[in-house]
C-alpha cells in the first residue's frame, strides 16, 4: 500500500510465507544459494520513462531533513508458519523528481511510480531480487 501525504509518501508492505518453514534459499543464475536476510528496497521511476530510476530519501521525524534511504531488513523467523510480516516505512520522498519545483512554483507536474523490491541477501553479500512490485502512477511535486 502506498499512501501519499503532502510532500512525502508512506509505504506499507505485507510479506507472507506460504510454507510452514522459513525460506532459506534463493535461486540465482540457475543455482540455489542460501541467504541470511531479506530486505525491502524502494525506488521511483518516471511514468513516461520507466528506465529512469529515481533514488528515495527518508526524512527525519522531527527536523524533516532528508537522508539517504537504506533497504529495510526484517527477520526471517517472523514469516512462518504462514504469518504475514507487516513493514511500514514512513516519510519517504523522491530525491529528484520534477525539475524546477524549487524555482518555478508553476512547474509541470509529472506522474511517477514507486518500485518495491524484496531482496534476499546471501552470506557473501550478494543481493538477489526475489519479487518486485510497481505501483499505480501518482503525481510528485
Amino acid at each position: 500500500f502506498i499512501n501519499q501525504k503532502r510532500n512525502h509518501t508512506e509505504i506499507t508492505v505485507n510479506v507472507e510465507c506460504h510454507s510452514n518453514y522459513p525460506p532459506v534459499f534463493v535461486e540465482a543464475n540457475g543455482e540455489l544459494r542460501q541467504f541470511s536476510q531479506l530486505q525491502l528496497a524502494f525506488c521511483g521511476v518516471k511514468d513516461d520513462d520507466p528506465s529512469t530510476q529515481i533514488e528515495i530519501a527518508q526524512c527525519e521525524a522531527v527536523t524533516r531533513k532528508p537522508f539517504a534511504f537504506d533497504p529495510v531488513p526484517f527477520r526471517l523467523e517472523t514469516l512462518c508458519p504462514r504469518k504475514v510480516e507487516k513493514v511500514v516505512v514512513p516519510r519517504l520522498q523522491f530525491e529528484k523528481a520534477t525539475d524546477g519545483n524549487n524555482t518555478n512554483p508553476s512547474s509541470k507536474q509529472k506522474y511517477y511510480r514507486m518500485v518495491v523490491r524484496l531482496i534476499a541477501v546471501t552470506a557473501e553479500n550478494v543481493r538477489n531480487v526475489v519479487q518486485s512490485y510497481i505501483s499505480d502512477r501518482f503525481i510528485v511535486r
Side-chain angles (χ1 to χ4, degrees):
F1 303 103
I2 297 176
N3 183 15
Q4 191 173 9
K5 301 177 179 181
R6 290 190 186 178
N7 62 349
H8 67 274
T9 304
E10 176 178 285
I11 296 180
T12 302
V13 179
N14 293 323
V15 180
E16 181 178 7
C17 178
H18 292 283
S19 171
N20 290 327
Y21 305 100
V24 290
F25 292 100
V26 64
E27 185 177 349
N29 299 325
E31 62 182 60
L32 291 178
R33 294 186 178 186
Q34 191 168 6
F35 65 91
S36 57
Q37 184 183 63
L38 288 175
Q39 297 178 339
L40 290 171
F42 312 106
C43 72
V45 294
K46 292 181 179 181
D47 186 51
D48 57 352
D49 183 11
S51 65
T52 304
Q53 184 171 313
I54 300 165
E55 296 299 316
I56 299 294
Q58 191 169 24
C59 298
E60 294 178 2
V62 177
T63 65
R64 296 186 180 167
K65 184 176 181 178
F67 59 91
F69 175 77
D70 291 323
V72 178
F74 60 94
R75 296 181 1 192
L76 299 175
E77 300 84 36
T78 61
L79 288 180
C80 292
R82 298 187 183 273
K83 188 175 177 185
V84 175
E85 174 72 6
K86 181 178 179 178
V87 180
V88 178
V89 185
R91 300 178 311 278
L92 298 173
Q93 66 183 30
F94 286 72
E95 284 263 331
K96 294 180 181 176
T98 306
D99 292 332
N101 265 353
N102 294 333
T103 57
N104 183 3
S106 62
S107 63
K108 185 178 178 185
Q109 296 176 357
K110 294 187 178 184
Y111 285 102
Y112 291 83
R113 295 176 186 262
M114 184 75 74
V115 178
V116 179
R117 294 184 180 110
L118 178 63
I119 299 172
V121 182
T122 66
E124 299 83 27
N125 205 27
V126 176
R127 298 163 45 101
N128 299 285
V129 176
V130 175
Q131 191 168 7
S132 60
Y133 169 81
I134 189 163
S135 73
D136 292 333
R137 65 186 196 157
F138 57 94
I139 293 176
V140 174
R141 299 173 197 236

